[in-house]
Amino acid sequence: MIGTWRWNAGFGVLGAGLTVMFSIGSNPLSTMLLRSLFAFISFFILAYAARMALAFILKPPGILAVQDEAAESAGTQLDYTTPDNPDELNDLLKAQLQGGAGTPGAAQASPESEGQSGDFKPLSPPQLVTADNKSPEQLANVLRHLTGE
């Protein structure tokens, strides 16, 4: 549970104090003290219930503890392996540098992966064109068009 019995005592005193404040003018002293005692006991027990509810709400479930352990160990080990045959690795690197879609092991690949890897082409945006070869009339028309004249 969260906190100590002092929290319960504090809530009990708060309940007893509120009871005394609201009943001081309308009840005799003995009735007021008896009701404040009952209020103290009630608030003391309610504080235990509230503390248990808070402990239940704020306690992380057991699943989160397992995920936290997995998250802490994530990225601590690197499990990459290179091919055992260095010639195959060199062929793969050469194929990448040359921009070829076919790889040395392409004949052994499944037909599904051939269609996917053969169709891929990296993004090649168009180059910017300079206005060096434009005539002054064309440039003036473009300027008029942009300014709305």
Side-chain angles (χ1 to χ4, degrees), residues 31-63:
T31 306
M32 180 184 64
L33 291 177
L34 183 65
R35 288 182 181 173
S36 64
L37 176 68
F38 290 150
F40 177 83
I41 293 170
S42 300
F43 273 77
F44 193 86
I45 293 170
L46 284 175
Y48 266 116
R51 283 179 45 209
M52 282 195 291
L54 279 175
F56 180 74
I57 291 171
L58 296 178
K59 182 181 79 173
I63 297 171

Side-chain angles (χ1 to χ4, degrees), residues 11-136:
F11 279 116
V13 169
L14 177 72
L18 288 174
T19 304
V20 167
M21 281 181 17
F22 289 124
S23 66
I24 197 164
S26 61
N27 293 325
L29 184 63
S30 61
T31 306
M32 180 184 64
L33 291 177
L34 183 65
R35 288 182 181 173
S36 64
L37 176 68
F38 290 150
F40 177 83
I41 293 170
S42 300
F43 273 77
F44 193 86
I45 293 170
L46 284 175
Y48 266 116
R51 283 179 45 209
M52 282 195 291
L54 279 175
F56 180 74
I57 291 171
L58 296 178
K59 182 181 79 173
I63 297 171
L64 290 178
V66 173
Q67 289 177 352
D68 290 340
E69 291 173 7
E72 288 175 5
S73 65
T76 58
Q77 295 179 349
L78 187 62
D79 294 334
Y80 283 128
T81 57
T82 57
D84 292 335
N85 188 356
D87 295 332
E88 183 180 334
L89 179 62
N90 288 337
D91 292 342
L92 286 171
L93 291 173
K94 285 180 187 176
Q96 261 187 339
L97 287 175
Q98 293 171 356
T103 57
Q108 300 168 353
S110 65
E112 296 170 357
S113 64
E114 283 180 5
Q116 292 174 355
S117 65
D119 294 340
F120 175 74
K121 292 186 179 151
L123 181 66
S124 57
Q127 296 294 324
L128 295 175
V129 179
T130 60
D132 292 339
N133 298 333
K134 303 290 182 184
S135 68

